[in-house]
Amino acid sequence: NAGVTQTPKFQVLKTGQSMTLQCAQDMNHNSMYWYRQDPGMGLRLIYYSASEGTTDKGEVPNGYNVSRLNKREFSLRLESAAPSQTSVYFCASEGGGQGQETQYFGPGTRLLVL
Amino acid sequence: KQEVTQIPAALSVPEGENLVLNCSFTDSAIYNLQWFRQDPGKGLTSLLLIQSSQREQTSGRLNASLDKSSGRSTLYIAASQPGDSATYLCAVRPVGDYKLSFGAGTTVTVRA
């Protein structure tokens, strides 16, 4: 049981390049999330998926696209990277119910855009 | 919009001292509140979850309280150890929403 896995762990991009961050969970959770974490700003939600085939924008969706490929996988794509997208990206999935909904986080992807 | 604040941003204590971490939120209509731990370079790990109907939750040396009416939660860590050094974040889920609102965290250093 690996929980939530993310690839790659680190990435350096040049401005204008594209890349896809991969996330997978093996806990059979319906809900999955993508966050970015910047110093002093806490975590901000980029996109959310309540179930396979559905996605919703979060607080900071501009410059990103997502795909919920199946129940296990939720990918985040940067079509044309900008220096403002330098950040640490976390994927999470959510389990539990009836007030006990708990998010489980992956180890993160550290992205530097030059 | 729900605003979550954690003060102080950083805290340093000697080993053995009890830790008190504060979290405040602006909208009392919450579904639940969670406390997370984050070690450097790692993801977040859930420590405790308090439902809106509860006043507190306990796990080992950790105790979290919730006062919805005043918009506050407190995480107590008894008899701190160097292994407790980490950043602690609180997150609030509003009623009827799927989004968590996170505080910026309190970074704790426990000195041996």
Side-chain angles (χ1 to χ4, degrees), chain A residues 5-13 19-23 34 76 78 87-91 106-112:
Chain A
T5 57
Q6 291 184 238
T7 56
K9 288 186 169 54
F10 303 96
Q11 185 72 48
V12 179
L13 291 179
M19 77 164 295
T20 299
L21 283 66
Q22 306 286 354
C23 173
W34 275 107
L76 179 71
L78 286 69
S87 187
V88 182
Y89 292 85
F90 289 102
C91 176
T109 293
R110 284 143 188 82
L111 176 65
L112 174 62

Side-chain angles (χ1 to χ4, degrees), chain B residues 5-111:
Chain B
T5 303
Q6 292 184 251
I7 295 173
L11 187 60
S12 178
V13 299
E15 183 177 2
E17 190 165 301
N18 296 331
L19 282 164
V20 180
L21 307 179
N22 297 305
C23 172
S24 61
F25 46 94
T26 54
D27 188 344
S28 62
I30 67 169
Y31 184 62
N32 61 33
L33 181 146
Q34 281 185 258
W35 282 93
F36 292 89
R37 169 181 172 140
Q38 185 176 29
D39 293 296
K42 305 290 186 184
L44 281 69
T45 300
S46 181
L47 296 173
L48 289 168
L49 181 147
I50 310 177
Q51 296 185 50
S52 62
S53 58
Q54 297 175 320
R55 297 282 292 181
E56 66 177 354
Q57 276 288 341
T58 298
S59 177
R61 294 185 294 112
L62 276 60
N63 174 276
S65 65
L66 174 63
D67 184 342
K68 277 199 312 178
S69 60
S70 66
R72 292 180 185 175
S73 177
T74 302
L75 178 67
Y76 300 90
I77 303 178
S80 62
Q81 304 168 358
D84 294 328
S85 298
T87 297
Y88 293 84
L89 298 96
C90 73
V92 171
R93 183 192 298 273
V95 172
D97 201 346
Y98 55 81
K99 296 188 288 291
L100 293 180
S101 294
F102 283 84
T106 295
T107 298
V108 171
T109 302
V110 180
R111 308 187 302 272

Side-chain angles (χ1 to χ4, degrees), chain A residues 5 11 19 35 43 47 57 71 75 77 81 86 93 105:
Chain A
T5 57
Q11 185 72 48
M19 77 164 295
Y35 294 93
L43 275 80
Y47 269 95
K57 294 178 180 179
K71 193 170 187 178
S75 63
R77 182 160 178 83
T86 292
S93 68
F105 283 76

Side-chain angles (χ1 to χ4, degrees), chain A residues 3-110:
Chain A
V4 180
T5 57
Q6 291 184 238
T7 56
K9 288 186 169 54
F10 303 96
Q11 185 72 48
V12 179
L13 291 179
K14 294 181 180 177
T15 296
Q17 287 184 318
S18 63
M19 77 164 295
T20 299
L21 283 66
Q22 306 286 354
C23 173
Q25 53 94 7
D26 61 2
M27 295 174 282
N28 202 34
H29 291 163
N30 286 318
S31 300
M32 296 185 74
Y33 301 76
W34 275 107
Y35 294 93
R36 61 178 288 173
Q37 185 176 37
D38 301 290
M41 300 192 71
L43 275 80
R44 293 182 291 169
L45 182 66
I46 306 172
Y47 269 95
Y48 159 73
S49 172
S51 62
E52 182 180 350
T54 67
T55 61
D56 285 302
K57 294 178 180 179
E59 185 182 355
V60 288
N62 291 343
Y64 306 96
N65 285 301
V66 290
S67 295
R68 184 72 183 268
L69 305 169
N70 47 55
K71 193 170 187 178
R72 290 188 64 248
E73 298 172 290
F74 189 34
S75 63
L76 179 71
R77 182 160 178 83
L78 286 69
E79 291 290 352
S80 179
S84 60
Q85 294 179 304
T86 292
S87 187
V88 182
Y89 292 85
F90 289 102
C91 176
S93 68
E94 185 171 270
Q98 299 183 353
Q100 295 292 331
E101 293 82 353
T102 301
Q103 293 195 5
Y104 299 84
F105 283 76
T109 293
R110 284 143 188 82

